[in-house]
Every structure is written in C-alpha cells, then in structure tokens.
Amino acid sequence: MSLPICPSGCTSNLPEFDFNLCNPTLNAGQIAKIFFTTVGNPMIDWSSAAEWASRIDNNSTGASSIRTLIGIGDMPAPTTTDKEISLGRKVFGKRSFVVNFRVDESSAITHDAFRQMQCTNGNYLVWLETRDHLLWGDNAGIEAAIKVDQVIPEAYSDYVTYQITITWDAQFMPKRETSPITDTTGDQF
C-alpha cells in the first residue's frame, strides 16, 4: 500500500485540504461489498476495471481469484495505544482497525464457504467498497484477518446472518479511490 510521505525529525508537514462552504463534498457511508483473495495475490493495477473483471469470481479455483461478499457494514474509528515517553513526548502506536460486516444471504454454498474459512487464521488481502462506489485498499489490498460467525435469531420473522469481523493494524488509514468495479450488466451495483 502506498504510504504518505512523512517528515523526518521533529517537524510536522502541513498537508493540503479541500473544503467548499457552498458545495461540500460528502460521501455516504455503509460498506456494501468486501472483496478478498489469498495473501500473495495482490492486484497489479487496482484502478483497472479489466483486472477486476478478470479476477472477481465466487466459484473459480484459480489462486488469484477474488471473492465478493455483499452485505452491510461499517468501519468505526480505529483504536490506538499512545504512550508518553521522556520529556513529555508522545509516541503514537499503530491503529487497530475493525470492519463489522453482516451478510444476510445464507445459501448452503455460502454457509459451507464460511465454514471453510474457519479452518485457518483467516488472513487475506481485502478491499472495501461503499454504496457510494468508493474503494479502499490499493494494489496490495489490506492484509487482514477475517473472522466469520453465524447468527441465528430467536424471532421467526428475522433471518439467519453471518457476522464478519475484519481486523488489521496499520499506521495509516487505507488508501481510497473511486471504484472501477462494475457488475455483469456494466453498472456499478
């Protein structure tokens, strides 16, 4: 993942911002899709619609295939461990990120796939896409652990769901761009 260029020594950089009082840029929330593949299979160009189209496949046995989960999720503010050291200086630790994602489709194939994912420690390369068609992750994706749990509700009128928890530690929030991913009709979902 490309990283911001940080100053050396005790100086702080002064980054450029973009605010518009009359026409602010706002992006809706809600993570709607999770894309993931095995560690060691990053994207060559994550901004390429052709590369995404050639790799997204929920049932291929190819090692570089990318799986897609559709659901509803969020990513709250990460936690950090900050320490005060000598002379009152602050050292900021890495951020611990968590994505909470709920999958509400529970076919037998999906259920078995989630069971299969419980065999390992769950480390994958992950990309996140919002309903506003923003994509997080960069060429390298986000190397993260994916934990899957099933929720069977008490009420008959509610549906069985799968609670996905994605966790990783990093100094910076993931890189973001407009998603080049389209569905089979050529539209972004």
Side-chain angles (χ1 to χ4, degrees):
M1 190 179 313
S2 62
L3 301 175
I5 299 171
C6 296
S8 60
C10 293
T11 62
S12 295
N13 60 1
L14 199 56
E16 179 182 330
F17 290 93
D18 178 24
F19 291 94
N20 187 319
L21 296 177
C22 298
N23 188 19
T25 301
L26 304 172
N27 296 292
Q30 191 179 105
I31 297 169
K33 291 185 180 180
I34 304 288
F35 302 97
F36 67 98
T37 190
T38 54
V39 172
N41 289 295
M43 300 290 290
I44 294 168
D45 179 6
W46 79 312
S47 64
S48 166
E51 183 175 1
W52 282 103
S54 71
R55 293 188 58 188
I56 292 175
D57 191 332
N58 270 358
N59 57 15
S60 168
T61 58
S64 66
S65 294
I66 294 176
R67 302 295 194 241
T68 306
L69 301 177
I70 298 172
I72 297 172
D74 71 339
M75 184 175 75
T79 59
T80 59
T81 303
D82 303 335
K83 298 200 181 239
E84 186 171 327
I85 60 172
S86 60
L87 297 176
R89 295 174 292 162
K90 294 256 184 201
V91 178
F92 303 108
K94 285 189 173 183
R95 290 161 177 80
S96 294
F97 292 90
V98 175
V99 169
N100 304 296
F101 194 73
R102 185 180 75 248
V103 173
D104 47 24
E105 293 191 46
S106 57
S107 70
I109 291 171
T110 297
H111 179 80
D112 288 345
F114 285 142
R115 290 184 70 225
Q116 185 68 38
M117 289 176 69
Q118 293 176 327
C119 288
T120 66
N121 61 4
N123 287 332
Y124 296 93
L125 298 182
V126 176
W127 294 266
L128 313 169
E129 188 178 51
T130 63
R131 287 190 64 182
D132 243 6
H133 310 297
L134 293 176
L135 184 67
W136 278 262
D138 207 346
N139 286 333
I142 302 163
E143 189 166 342
I146 300 178
K147 180 179 170 240
V148 180
D149 291 300
Q150 184 179 43
V151 178
I152 301 174
E154 180 180 312
Y156 180 74
S157 60
D158 291 338
Y159 297 106
V160 170
T161 60
Y162 299 92
Q163 181 61 47
I164 315 297
T165 306
I166 302 171
T167 56
W168 73 96
D169 293 331
Q171 182 177 359
F172 304 106
M173 65 184 99
K175 190 172 177 181
R176 172 187 100 174
E177 75 168 28
T178 300
S179 179
I181 302 167
T182 57
D183 67 17
T184 55
T185 64
D187 293 326
Q188 290 180 313
F189 69 103

